[in-house]
Amino acid sequence: MLELLLAVLLGRPSAELLPDLVQRPPPHVVLRDGRLAFTSQVDNVGAGPIEIVARRSTGMRADQVVYVRAGARRVVEGVGRLRYVRSSDHQHWHLLGFERYELWQGGKLLVRDHKTGFCLYDRLSVTGMRHTRPHYLRDCGRNRPRAAVVREGISAGHGDAYDPLLEGQSLDVRGLPPGIYTLVQRVNVGRVLHERRYDNNVARVRIRLSATSVTVLPS
Ligand SMILES: [Ca+2]
Ligand SMILES: [Zn+2]
């Protein structure tokens, strides 16, 4: 607390351990049943976790917990909402709107995603960062639609990735003519989650789309 007070008084950089989310370009893009399906990966390369907590008493409003050195924390209220999702591969609480997917051509937005949200957890370690044990597990209040509290997040040095086979990891491209398009993936749209920086929150890959296949072009 004293350290934080001094940092404020002296105008030094914040003692807050802010996360820094990075949207990685998708290595896998496939065409399946008229849909462009893809991986998406978000790494946290910041000083602290991205942590979301939601309580039944506040209607599952998502609050962000920002950790401060010396064990203190600050809660940023109302950064989003959690929704309980039931489908073949999901039975847990999703943070809505964590990532967005778009298909562009010539400065024109053609298709947007309709994904139901994301369960954040420490799925993989970020290459080149200090290795720590996973803290946020793939739980997200699984099988607890009446949960009193749900906490999810991505630790610093960990990443979360989504498989193209999962529901919502695709865009409807039926009716689009063959050509070159840009697939855009964004994390933390609207900058509602507090981060160290935001300029690394978008990934763009150029793709060549034909009637039967898709190729990722070198950037
Ligand atoms: Ca960022
Ligand atoms: Zn899910």
Short mmCIF file of all heavy atoms in Angstrom, two decimals, residues 29-36 173-174 176-179 208-215:
data_model
loop_
_atom_site.label_atom_id
_atom_site.label_comp_id
_atom_site.label_asym_id
_atom_site.label_seq_id
_atom_site.Cartn_x
_atom_site.Cartn_y
_atom_site.Cartn_z
N VAL A 29 -6.50 -22.13 -40.85
CA VAL A 29 -7.76 -21.63 -41.40
C VAL A 29 -8.23 -22.67 -42.41
O VAL A 29 -7.46 -23.08 -43.28
CB VAL A 29 -7.56 -20.26 -42.11
CG1 VAL A 29 -8.89 -19.74 -42.63
CG2 VAL A 29 -6.93 -19.25 -41.16
N VAL A 30 -9.45 -23.13 -42.26
CA VAL A 30 -9.97 -24.16 -43.16
C VAL A 30 -11.37 -23.76 -43.63
O VAL A 30 -12.03 -22.91 -43.02
CB VAL A 30 -10.04 -25.55 -42.48
CG1 VAL A 30 -8.66 -26.07 -42.15
CG2 VAL A 30 -10.93 -25.51 -41.24
N LEU A 31 -11.78 -24.39 -44.74
CA LEU A 31 -13.12 -24.15 -45.26
C LEU A 31 -13.93 -25.42 -45.03
O LEU A 31 -13.50 -26.52 -45.40
CB LEU A 31 -13.04 -23.83 -46.76
CG LEU A 31 -14.30 -23.30 -47.42
CD1 LEU A 31 -14.72 -21.96 -46.82
CD2 LEU A 31 -14.07 -23.15 -48.92
N ARG A 32 -15.08 -25.28 -44.40
CA ARG A 32 -15.88 -26.46 -44.08
C ARG A 32 -17.37 -26.09 -44.14
O ARG A 32 -17.81 -25.19 -43.42
CB ARG A 32 -15.54 -26.95 -42.67
CG ARG A 32 -16.17 -28.29 -42.33
CD ARG A 32 -15.97 -28.64 -40.88
NE ARG A 32 -14.58 -28.72 -40.50
CZ ARG A 32 -14.02 -28.02 -39.52
NH1 ARG A 32 -14.72 -27.16 -38.85
NH2 ARG A 32 -12.76 -28.18 -39.24
N ASP A 33 -18.09 -26.76 -45.01
CA ASP A 33 -19.55 -26.56 -45.12
C ASP A 33 -19.91 -25.09 -45.31
O ASP A 33 -20.83 -24.58 -44.67
CB ASP A 33 -20.27 -27.11 -43.88
CG ASP A 33 -19.99 -28.59 -43.66
OD1 ASP A 33 -19.80 -29.30 -44.66
OD2 ASP A 33 -19.96 -29.03 -42.49
N GLY A 34 -19.16 -24.42 -46.18
CA GLY A 34 -19.47 -23.02 -46.45
C GLY A 34 -19.06 -22.06 -45.37
O GLY A 34 -19.46 -20.89 -45.36
N ARG A 35 -18.28 -22.54 -44.42
CA ARG A 35 -17.82 -21.67 -43.34
C ARG A 35 -16.30 -21.65 -43.28
O ARG A 35 -15.64 -22.67 -43.50
CB ARG A 35 -18.38 -22.13 -41.98
CG ARG A 35 -19.90 -22.17 -41.92
CD ARG A 35 -20.37 -22.38 -40.50
NE ARG A 35 -20.13 -21.21 -39.67
CZ ARG A 35 -20.99 -20.20 -39.54
NH1 ARG A 35 -22.14 -20.22 -40.18
NH2 ARG A 35 -20.70 -19.17 -38.78
N LEU A 36 -15.80 -20.48 -42.99
CA LEU A 36 -14.38 -20.30 -42.78
C LEU A 36 -14.12 -20.56 -41.30
O LEU A 36 -14.62 -19.82 -40.44
CB LEU A 36 -14.00 -18.87 -43.16
CG LEU A 36 -12.55 -18.51 -43.34
CD1 LEU A 36 -11.98 -19.21 -44.57
CD2 LEU A 36 -12.42 -17.00 -43.48
N VAL A 173 -19.20 -17.89 -45.12
CA VAL A 173 -18.67 -17.26 -46.35
C VAL A 173 -19.41 -17.75 -47.60
O VAL A 173 -18.94 -17.56 -48.72
CB VAL A 173 -17.15 -17.51 -46.51
CG1 VAL A 173 -16.39 -16.79 -45.41
CG2 VAL A 173 -16.81 -19.00 -46.50
N ARG A 174 -20.59 -18.38 -47.41
CA ARG A 174 -21.37 -18.80 -48.57
C ARG A 174 -21.76 -17.56 -49.38
O ARG A 174 -22.14 -16.53 -48.82
CB ARG A 174 -22.64 -19.53 -48.12
CG ARG A 174 -22.39 -20.96 -47.66
CD ARG A 174 -23.62 -21.55 -47.06
NE ARG A 174 -24.07 -20.74 -45.91
CZ ARG A 174 -25.14 -21.00 -45.20
NH1 ARG A 174 -25.92 -22.01 -45.51
NH2 ARG A 174 -25.47 -20.23 -44.18
N LEU A 176 -19.78 -15.71 -51.12
CA LEU A 176 -18.68 -14.78 -51.40
C LEU A 176 -17.90 -15.28 -52.61
O LEU A 176 -17.57 -16.45 -52.71
CB LEU A 176 -17.73 -14.69 -50.20
CG LEU A 176 -18.23 -13.94 -48.96
CD1 LEU A 176 -17.11 -13.86 -47.94
CD2 LEU A 176 -18.71 -12.54 -49.33
N PRO A 177 -17.58 -14.39 -53.56
CA PRO A 177 -16.82 -14.82 -54.74
C PRO A 177 -15.38 -15.17 -54.37
O PRO A 177 -14.85 -14.67 -53.38
CB PRO A 177 -16.86 -13.59 -55.65
CG PRO A 177 -17.13 -12.44 -54.76
CD PRO A 177 -17.92 -12.96 -53.59
N PRO A 178 -14.73 -16.05 -55.16
CA PRO A 178 -13.32 -16.34 -54.92
C PRO A 178 -12.51 -15.05 -54.95
O PRO A 178 -12.84 -14.12 -55.70
CB PRO A 178 -12.95 -17.25 -56.10
CG PRO A 178 -14.24 -17.83 -56.57
CD PRO A 178 -15.28 -16.80 -56.30
N GLY A 179 -11.47 -14.99 -54.14
CA GLY A 179 -10.64 -13.78 -54.12
C GLY A 179 -9.80 -13.72 -52.88
O GLY A 179 -9.70 -14.68 -52.11
N ARG A 208 -6.59 -16.47 -49.39
CA ARG A 208 -7.13 -16.63 -50.74
C ARG A 208 -8.25 -17.66 -50.64
O ARG A 208 -8.04 -18.80 -50.23
CB ARG A 208 -6.05 -17.12 -51.71
CG ARG A 208 -6.56 -17.25 -53.16
CD ARG A 208 -5.55 -17.98 -54.02
NE ARG A 208 -4.24 -17.33 -53.98
CZ ARG A 208 -3.91 -16.24 -54.71
NH1 ARG A 208 -4.79 -15.72 -55.53
NH2 ARG A 208 -2.70 -15.73 -54.62
N LEU A 209 -9.45 -17.22 -51.02
CA LEU A 209 -10.63 -18.07 -50.90
C LEU A 209 -11.07 -18.51 -52.28
O LEU A 209 -11.19 -17.69 -53.20
CB LEU A 209 -11.74 -17.25 -50.23
CG LEU A 209 -13.04 -17.97 -49.82
CD1 LEU A 209 -12.75 -18.98 -48.72
CD2 LEU A 209 -14.06 -16.95 -49.35
N SER A 210 -11.26 -19.84 -52.43
CA SER A 210 -11.86 -20.36 -53.65
C SER A 210 -13.16 -21.05 -53.27
O SER A 210 -13.55 -21.05 -52.11
CB SER A 210 -10.92 -21.33 -54.36
OG SER A 210 -10.96 -22.59 -53.74
N ALA A 211 -13.82 -21.66 -54.25
CA ALA A 211 -15.10 -22.32 -53.94
C ALA A 211 -14.91 -23.50 -53.01
O ALA A 211 -15.82 -23.88 -52.27
CB ALA A 211 -15.78 -22.75 -55.23
N THR A 212 -13.72 -24.12 -53.05
CA THR A 212 -13.53 -25.37 -52.31
C THR A 212 -12.40 -25.33 -51.29
O THR A 212 -12.23 -26.28 -50.53
CB THR A 212 -13.22 -26.53 -53.28
OG1 THR A 212 -12.10 -26.13 -54.10
CG2 THR A 212 -14.41 -26.84 -54.17
N SER A 213 -11.61 -24.27 -51.28
CA SER A 213 -10.48 -24.27 -50.36
C SER A 213 -10.10 -22.86 -49.94
O SER A 213 -10.57 -21.88 -50.51
CB SER A 213 -9.26 -24.94 -51.02
OG SER A 213 -8.77 -24.11 -52.05
N VAL A 214 -9.23 -22.80 -48.94
CA VAL A 214 -8.71 -21.52 -48.48
C VAL A 214 -7.23 -21.68 -48.18
O VAL A 214 -6.79 -22.73 -47.71
CB VAL A 214 -9.49 -21.02 -47.23
CG1 VAL A 214 -9.38 -21.99 -46.09
CG2 VAL A 214 -9.00 -19.65 -46.80
N THR A 215 -6.45 -20.66 -48.52
CA THR A 215 -5.02 -20.65 -48.28
C THR A 215 -4.65 -19.38 -47.51
O THR A 215 -5.13 -18.30 -47.86
CB THR A 215 -4.23 -20.64 -49.61
OG1 THR A 215 -4.85 -21.55 -50.52
CG2 THR A 215 -2.79 -21.00 -49.40
#
